[in-house]
Amino acid sequence: MDVLVTGGTGRLGRLVVERLQDGGHRVRQMSRRGTGPGGVRGDLATGRDLPTALAGAEVVVHAASDARGDYWEADVAGTRRLVQSVDRDRLRHLVFVSIVGVDRIPYGYYHAKYAAEQVLLASGLPVTLLRITQFHDFVDQLLTTARRGPVLPVPMGWRLQPVDVAEAAAHTAEVALGAPAGDVVEFGGPEELTAAEVARAWAAARESNAHVVATPVPGRLSAAVRDGGALPTRGARGRRTYAEHLRG
Ligand SMILES: NC(=O)c1ccc[n+]([C@@H]2O[C@H](COP(=O)([O-])OP(=O)(O)OC[C@H]3O[C@@H](n4cnc5c(N)ncnc54)[C@H](OP(=O)(O)O)[C@@H]3O)[C@@H](O)[C@H]2O)c1
């Protein structure tokens, strides 16, 4: 299979690339710089080099995102540009990597991801919208930046179900090689945890001086996460727990 992975240099994308290459597929990994083995350049925010990058692709895994930049341009308008640039005669399946809760949690980046999903559903292309929960290493990164000296404040009552990124990548590759669902599918970790449980486990393993303080956070976003908006409701589950990730 001739596969293009957008965001092929990212946390998830690079593991999807490895997985598909190991399976004997011809894989190109797209990013703005076009680095890495099989690297091709393509910028979703401007459209530059997109048609060349997408030429001949039978499967597209769309895992690029500019979460910290102008995500309306890169993720939403960029997905529109992607739709216009795909080789419709060759394309068998386009998998969009999204996030569990984009339809339920009122947060700017999630609104953009949801809007990108709608672009794909309206495109007439053979798509699957694969919503995944937070990756373990992303959670680690959030906790590292949340720490304030000896105190590690976390939102009280937030419910999470983080997942191992390698398992998420393996599942993404498997979905990409299967038939398009034409709809949303979900993938999450094996267990539901509160943010405080996650933070205490992280602190015990990595920062034993950090004291976890669960803090009430007002607002609609926080209420949605407390109500389970970030938890998967269906679909497959990874096996590796957050505790195992920390031990690893
Ligand atoms: N992080 C999580 O916990 C999590 C959970 C569930 C779902 N997701 C979703 O999974 C996907 C991958 O997440 P990640 O954490 O692996 O992302 P990441 O590490 O931030 O990687 C983002 C990728 O997108 C590329 N990119 C950014 N802007 C671009 C542009 N304008 N044009 C082309 N490529 C661009 C980056 O490459 P260059 O910078 O080299 O161009 C990089 O390869 C995202 O769609 C995200 O929403 C993430």
Side-chain angles (χ1 to χ4, degrees), residues 7 9-12 32-33 43-44 65 98 109 113 133 135:
T9 56
R11 200 184 271 122
L12 177 79
R32 284 169 292 192
R33 282 162 297 146
D43 189 340
L44 291 156
S65 180
S98 190
Y109 176 59
K113 296 286 298 186
T133 58
F135 307 145

Side-chain angles (χ1 to χ4, degrees), residues 44 107 116 120 137 140 168 175 223-224:
L44 291 156
Y107 175 51
L120 289 166
D137 354 24
D140 294 345
V175 167

